[in-house]
Amino acid sequence: MNAWIALTRSDPTFSHTLAELEYGCDVIEPPIFVEDHDLHPDIVLTSVRHANSLVVDCKSNTVEPDQLERYQALKGREDALVAQGIVRDVAADDLSAELTLSSFTDLSNDNYIPDPFALVHFRHDPSSGFSVWNLDGHEFTFDALRELFPINGEPSQPLPVSYYPYDVYEEDRRTFVTHILRSVISLAVKQGEFSAEDVVRDSHQYWEALSNEKQKQLLREAKQTIYELQEAGLDDHIEVIAETDGTEWKRISKSIQAVSDKTDYYVDRVTEALDQQTFGDYNFDI
C-alpha cells in the first residue's frame, strides 16, 4: 500500500510514475457494494484527468477464487464507485476501472487469474533496484498506464513506509504503539489537551483517505493504547479530562518530554498488555 501511494506522490526519493498521469489516492480499504457483492479493496487510485481508477487488492501469494468472482461484478458497473462516493470529480458514465492485484510475489505462477485482472509485481533486487512490473498477459487496459511499466527504481531507493505507517493487525502492534506514543507526547507538549482522534490524525499521514470503518478501527485501538500507556505510568504526565469517558486527555506535567527517553519501556509494556487483550475489549463509544 505504501508503494502504491508513493508512486502517486512527487517524492524525489522514490519513483512518482503514477503522478505523471495525475493518479491520486481516493480511499483506503473502502467497502464497495455491487450487485449483492461485498468488495473490500485495499486502495483505490484515480486519475481524474483520464477518468480511470485502479481498484487494488494487495495480496501475499495466494488468491481466493470466490474473491475474484466478487471483483468481476465491478466490470461494467464502475458507476458504483461514483455513486458510493469512492471516486469524486469524475462523471459516472466516463469512469473506467482497472481491477488490479498486486504482490511481492508473481501471482500468476500458482494462481488462475482471469483476464479482467491486471497483475502488478513489486520486487526489490540488489542489482536492479526496486522495480514494478505489469505482468504479461495481465496488462492494464488503459494504454497510457500500461506504457509506464516496467517501473525501475534506483538500487538505493528504499520502500517508503511513512504514508501508511501502521494498521490494527497484531503484526503491526508494536509499530502502532510506537506511533501513538510519539503523537501523544508531541500533542501534549504542543497543545496541552488532545483527543484520541487528534492522536490518530497526527500519526497517520493518510487519515483523511481511510474509510469510515477503518477510521473507527484505528480510533478504538488508539483509545485502548492510550489507556494502557496511562496504566504503564503515563498517568504521571497526562490525565483524562473530566466527563469525556476516556476520549480526551490533558497534560499535567511539563516533564512529559522525558518520556521519550523511556520509549522502549512504554512500547514493550503496552504492546505486551495489548497482546493479552482481544480487540475491542474496552467498551469505548466511537
Side-chain angles (χ1 to χ4, degrees), residues 16 21-22 39 42 46 49 79 82 89 95 113 131 154 170 173 181 183 193 196 200 208 224 226 230 243 254 278 286:
H16 48 274
L21 293 180
E22 300 181 26
L39 313 179
D42 289 298
T46 298
R49 174 186 171 190
D79 61 301
V82 177
D89 301 321
L95 183 66
I113 310 294
S131 58
E154 297 295 329
E170 187 173 344
R173 186 159 285 161
L181 174 59
S183 288
E193 296 184 359
V200 285
E208 294 294 346
Q224 292 184 11
I226 298 172
Q230 286 188 297
E243 299 181 359
K254 293 183 178 180
T278 300
I286 302 294

Side-chain angles (χ1 to χ4, degrees), residues 183-192 194 251 254 256-257:
S183 288
V184 166
I185 296 170
S186 174
L187 293 173
V189 171
K190 291 187 297 185
Q191 298 179 191
F194 59 92
R251 186 184 68 197
K254 293 183 178 180
I256 189 171
Q257 285 179 305

Side-chain angles (χ1 to χ4, degrees), residues 15-33:
S15 172
H16 48 274
T17 310
L18 293 184
E20 296 172 10
L21 293 180
E22 300 181 26
Y23 281 92
C25 175
D26 293 296
V27 63
I28 295 170
E29 297 191 31
I32 303 173
F33 305 97

Side-chain angles (χ1 to χ4, degrees), residues 74-147:
L74 189 60
K75 294 304 290 184
R77 288 299 316 277
E78 289 87 348
D79 61 301
L81 297 174
V82 177
Q84 295 173 39
I86 307 299
V87 174
R88 298 178 175 85
D89 301 321
V90 179
D93 292 341
D94 296 335
L95 183 66
S96 62
E98 309 271 0
L99 303 179
T100 308
L101 305 176
S102 69
S103 178
F104 283 97
T105 62
D106 183 345
L107 291 174
S108 64
N109 284 339
D110 300 310
N111 301 276
Y112 168 71
I113 310 294
D115 290 339
F117 290 88
L119 292 184
V120 174
H121 182 196
F122 291 96
R123 68 189 188 195
H124 189 273
D125 187 282
S127 61
S128 63
F130 189 83
S131 58
V132 190
W133 298 80
N134 182 199
L135 299 180
D136 292 343
H138 293 281
E139 295 91 349
F140 288 108
T141 58
F142 177 35
D143 290 342
L145 177 63
R146 183 174 64 251
E147 290 170 1

Side-chain angles (χ1 to χ4, degrees), residues 266-286:
Y266 280 104
V267 171
D268 289 344
R269 178 165 171 175
V270 172
T271 300
E272 181 179 354
L274 291 174
D275 284 342
Q276 297 172 5
Q277 299 288 336
T278 300
F279 180 74
D281 272 359
Y282 299 97
N283 187 26
F284 295 120
D285 292 327
I286 302 294

Side-chain angles (χ1 to χ4, degrees), residues 13 35 47 63 65 71 91 137 231:
T13 67
E35 298 179 352
S47 170
V63 180
Y71 273 109
E231 292 290 293

